[in-house]
């Protein structure tokens, strides 16, 4: 069980040359940025719920443990996919709050 807040950062990247060629065997020159996506995880008051908050999308999802595998057709499907992989491997995830924010300019063709 998570006892404290945990903070994570995924840096953005820009491909100076070679966008979409890396997985086709071409040359690429990516560079990491000091901007990216931030995640804070902490315990939720209810062990049967997961709460997902995004500052950038003004969206919040409160999802019951038994509903974690259901798609929502929203950004929350990405972390739900990760949670599904954890639970499929025997690491149940519930009772947590996930708070996302990012400082990558939307539409600037930068990736995380």
């Amino acid at each position: 069980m998570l006892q404290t807040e945990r903070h994570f950062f995924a840096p953005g990247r820009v491909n100076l040359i070679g966008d979409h060629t890396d997985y086709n065997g071409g040359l690429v020159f990516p560079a990491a940025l000091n901007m990216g996506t931030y995640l804070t995880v902490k315990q939720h008051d209810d062990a049967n719920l997961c709460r997902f908050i995004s500052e950038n999308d003004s969206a919040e999802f409160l999802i019951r443990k038994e509903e974690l595998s259901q798609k929502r057709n929203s950004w929350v499907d990405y972390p739900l996919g990760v949670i599904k992989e954890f639970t499929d491997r025997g690491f149940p995830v519930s009772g947590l709050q996930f708070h996302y924010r990012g400082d990558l300019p939307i539409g600037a063709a930068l990736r995380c």
Side-chain angles (χ1 to χ4, degrees):
M1 176 120 358
L2 190 66
Q3 298 299 321
T4 62
E5 280 189 359
R6 297 293 306 257
H7 301 274
F8 303 92
F9 173 70
R13 71 175 182 153
V14 60
N15 282 333
L16 301 177
I17 61 170
D19 201 23
H20 299 292
T21 62
D22 51 351
Y23 49 82
N24 290 312
L27 299 174
V28 297
F29 186 45
L33 303 172
N34 60 357
M35 299 178 289
T37 301
Y38 302 82
L39 171 63
T40 300
V41 181
K42 64 182 182 179
Q43 283 183 292
H44 189 274
D45 297 335
D46 187 335
N48 291 310
L49 293 172
C50 278
R51 183 178 183 201
F52 300 87
I53 304 162
S54 170
E55 284 185 23
N56 298 84
D57 196 1
S58 300
E60 181 176 332
F61 294 87
L62 198 57
I63 302 175
R64 299 202 64 73
K65 184 163 107 175
E66 60 272 8
E67 299 171 334
L68 287 173
S69 62
Q70 297 175 5
K71 290 184 81 172
R72 302 290 192 282
N73 295 318
S74 178
W75 64 266
V76 77
D77 287 338
Y78 293 100
L80 287 177
V82 173
I83 288 172
K84 181 184 181 317
E85 292 300 315
F86 273 103
T87 56
D88 287 352
R89 287 167 172 75
F91 300 100
V93 177
S94 64
L96 297 175
Q97 176 173 298
F98 301 87
H99 184 187
Y100 295 89
R101 71 177 183 82
D103 56 3
L104 289 170
I106 295 175
L110 303 173
R111 293 166 180 47
C112 242

